[in-house]
Amino acid sequence: MTYKEARVYLDKVSKYGSVLGLDTIRELLHELGDPQNQLKFIHIAGTNGKGSVLAYISSILTEAGYRTGRYVSPTVVSYLERISVDQRWIEEEEFAYFVEKVQKATARMEKRGKGSPTVFEIETAVAFLYFVQKNCEFVVLETGLGGRLDATNVVENTIAAVFTTISLDHVNVLGDTIEEIAKNKAGIIKQNCRVITAGQQKTVLEILKETAKSKQCSYYKEDETKVILHEEGLKGQVLSYGEYKELRIPLAGRCQIKNVVTTLGVIKALKDMGVRLPQKVVYEGFKKTKWPGRFTCIATNPVFIVDGAHNVDAAKQLKESIQQYVGNKHLVFIVGVFKDKEYEKIAQIMGPLADKIYTVNLPDAKRTLDAEKLGQVLKAYCPNVEPVYEIRKAVEYAYQEATKEDVVVAFGSLSYLGEIMKVVEERKQR
């Protein structure tokens, strides 16, 4: 099987949709020899911030000399970035090899009437097989959707269950109250693991703490209000927290403060387990972290920012960051969202900030909210809205609209930010 054939196969499987539950992924992994049982996991759940925390933790562990795998979704730059070891993406040939292996295991399952894995379950199995082959000492694992019934929750060797900010999202699947969603995400907590969190609502903290207690877990609650912020700007920030003085963080945005202290809670928990993580390694690991698409400045003159603010909580955080860093500038927005998101609330939060908005359709034609409909919603908060549909055209129009003193912000789904970044980079090269 070639890489192209592997992608065609996965595209075909993806047409059948997704199903929450662990029976099929458990059967698939058993068919493959249960590779997940040979790995140790740092499992991350939450509504926003999972990717940033994953990037910080994996960068620090790699800097410390540990072979570290990471599994994320969705991706921004390349499909292959979802599976990586020590910041290096899986190669196309390796990916194709493991997809073929999983495809054959799937065929054997189906022949026995054991069901058909979803595309996310197949990708998860591929990741575990790859991490075993690469002899990973740690795997930093991001949940796909929720926690309890997410395919990643098939793992048992969880040494740390990490919770970034939990808020309302996917309410039609995870529950329509914050308590229901928190209980769902708390499902990743395994017996005797470490539980780490920061920046949660009181009800969420109570659920996490009670679940940790019931599973005999050590509980680490970090306090982001104790952070001292020394410097901040579009290229990152410098802060102090506890024993760590003047940490240099390359990711911008006030939301990163919670993510940093959550990461430091994980570092504390790992050190309590005997994992060697000298202070110098922590400093270097943070400094070398790369995580595009999270309030990332990709160009200047005019400043061009991309951010994956795809839900209400993320939109509030993006608004705060814009007001903090560029609030008095003429703002041009490019917006694209999925139709299953709370786009009306996102429009209400972000629309009033903009002087001009271009709406686009996302690459996923089935899930995208039509640019015309999104434009109509946004017009209630910003009168100057233009549906453009095409991403490349929206970037060109934004550059025509903005002067060198203005700011362009592309936000919404992470799924189209890679294309935005590609077009902006081509323009810079010209």
Side-chain angles (χ1 to χ4, degrees):
M1 179 181 280
T2 64
Y3 176 68
K4 185 177 180 180
E5 289 169 338
R7 291 297 304 274
V8 169
Y9 166 65
L10 291 174
D11 286 343
K12 183 179 177 182
V13 174
S14 68
K15 293 176 182 177
Y16 299 110
S18 60
V19 180
L20 287 176
L22 301 178
D23 292 342
T24 305
I25 182 69
R26 192 172 282 128
E27 184 71 28
L28 175 60
L29 290 171
H30 188 63
E31 188 71 35
L32 292 164
D34 287 315
Q36 77 281 7
N37 292 342
Q38 301 176 53
L39 301 164
K40 290 191 293 188
F41 297 94
I42 298 167
H43 205 176
I44 307 174
T47 306
N48 295 305
K50 295 191 299 292
S52 297
V53 171
L54 174 142
Y56 292 137
I57 295 169
S58 56
S59 180
I60 292 166
L61 287 171
T62 293
E63 185 67 22
Y66 296 106
R67 181 65 65 91
T68 307
R70 69 184 194 185
Y71 180 51
V72 302
S73 65
T75 57
V76 176
V77 180
S78 164
Y79 177 86
L80 293 173
E81 71 180 284
R82 68 190 57 222
I83 302 171
S84 64
V85 173
D86 293 337
Q87 325 301 326
R88 294 176 64 90
W89 302 343
I90 187 172
E91 298 284 346
E92 290 186 356
E93 295 79 8
E94 294 171 310
F95 183 79
Y97 170 78
F98 286 116
V99 169
E100 183 174 11
K101 197 168 184 178
V102 176
Q103 182 191 38
K104 289 176 180 177
T106 296
R108 294 194 298 271
M109 279 176 58
E110 292 172 340
K111 192 173 182 180
R112 298 199 310 272
K114 293 293 185 179
S116 302
T118 66
V119 67
F120 185 65
E121 289 169 336
I122 290 171
E123 290 166 345
T124 302
V126 167
F128 293 163
L129 288 169
Y130 181 66
F131 295 146
V132 168
Q133 187 204 57
K134 292 295 183 181
N135 298 312
C136 287
E137 295 164 274
F138 298 101
V139 172
V140 192
L141 185 65
E142 179 185 336
T143 60
L145 177 62
R148 185 172 60 88
L149 296 177
D150 184 75
T152 61
N153 203 35
V154 71
V155 304
E156 294 295 336
N157 298 337
T158 300
I159 60 172
V162 187
F163 296 91
T164 61
T165 305
I166 294 174
S167 58
L168 290 174
D169 195 22
H170 299 291
V171 292
N172 57 328
V173 179
L174 304 180
D176 54 10
T177 68
I178 193 70
E179 291 81 8
E180 289 176 315
I181 291 173
K183 287 176 183 176
N184 189 303
K185 294 181 186 291
I188 70 167
I189 298 174
K190 300 298 191 299
Q191 201 77 21
N192 297 314
C193 75
R194 263 68 172 183
V195 176
I196 305 100
T197 192
Q200 305 287 5
Q201 298 179 36
K202 185 179 179 181
T203 52
V204 173
L205 286 174
E206 289 172 354
I207 289 167
L208 295 179
K209 190 173 183 178
E210 187 57 39
T211 307
K213 184 179 178 182
S214 70
K215 297 287 183 71
Q216 290 79 48
C217 301
S218 299
Y219 178 75
Y220 297 73
K221 194 274 178 185
E222 301 302 320
D223 186 357
E224 72 277 7
T225 65
K226 293 183 178 179
V227 165
I228 300 171
L229 190 60
H230 303 288
E231 300 174 24
E232 60 178 338
L234 291 174
K235 294 298 183 181
Q237 46 205 310
V238 178
L239 55 84
S240 297
Y241 181 72
E243 66 182 283
Y244 297 95
K245 309 302 180 186
E246 299 192 7
L247 277 169
R248 189 163 293 278
I249 311 300
L251 306 187
R254 286 287 178 90
C255 59
Q256 291 301 333
I257 292 175
K258 293 178 185 178
N259 298 334
V260 169
V261 299
T262 301
T263 301
L264 290 173
V266 176
I267 299 307
K268 187 189 300 181
L270 292 175
K271 289 172 75 172
D272 287 347
M273 285 183 261
V275 179
R276 185 178 171 275
L277 293 169
Q279 198 173 79
K280 181 183 177 182
V281 160
V282 177
Y283 278 85
E284 284 299 307
F286 270 117
K287 193 162 69 173
K288 293 179 180 178
T289 300
K290 295 179 181 179
W291 200 238
R294 284 76 178 175
F295 202 75
T296 306
C297 180
I298 59 174
T300 55
N301 300 321
V303 167
F304 200 121
I305 295 166
V306 293
D307 188 277
H310 63 282
N311 56 44
V312 171
D313 195 50
K316 289 177 181 177
Q317 292 174 3
L318 175 58
K319 177 182 177 180
E320 182 183 5
S321 293
I322 287 173
Q323 291 174 328
Q324 180 64 33
Y325 300 130
V326 296
N328 60 342
K329 302 278 189 176
H330 182 86
L331 296 174
V332 180
F333 287 173
I334 300 172
V335 189
V337 297
F338 287 134
K339 58 188 174 185
D340 60 348
K341 297 297 181 179
E342 293 183 292
Y343 54 86
E344 292 179 343
K345 291 182 180 178
I346 294 171
Q348 185 178 6
I349 294 164
M350 295 298 300
L353 300 180
D355 296 286
K356 175 74 177 185
I357 301 176
Y358 298 101
T359 58
V360 298
N361 284 353
L362 300 176
D364 188 337
K366 288 184 178 180
R367 292 188 63 197
T368 188
L369 178 67
D370 183 76
E372 180 72 36
K373 184 172 182 180
L374 177 58
Q376 290 172 358
V377 173
L378 281 161
K379 276 183 180 178
Y381 308 100
C382 173
N384 200 3
V385 180
E386 183 178 346
V388 180
Y389 298 97
E390 296 176 21
I391 295 168
R392 183 174 291 272
K393 192 179 291 184
V395 173
E396 293 303 324
Y397 284 8
Y399 269 110
Q400 291 171 20
E401 173 73 21
T403 70
K404 289 184 178 181
E405 301 301 317
D406 299 336
V407 176
V408 180
V409 184
F411 69 91
S413 172
L414 279 166
S415 66
Y416 85 111
L417 297 187
E419 180 67 18
I420 292 276
M421 293 162 71
K422 178 182 176 183
V423 176
V424 171
E425 187 59 34
E426 288 174 1
R427 185 184 178 87
K428 285 160 67 176
Q429 294 300 324
R430 293 200 302 269

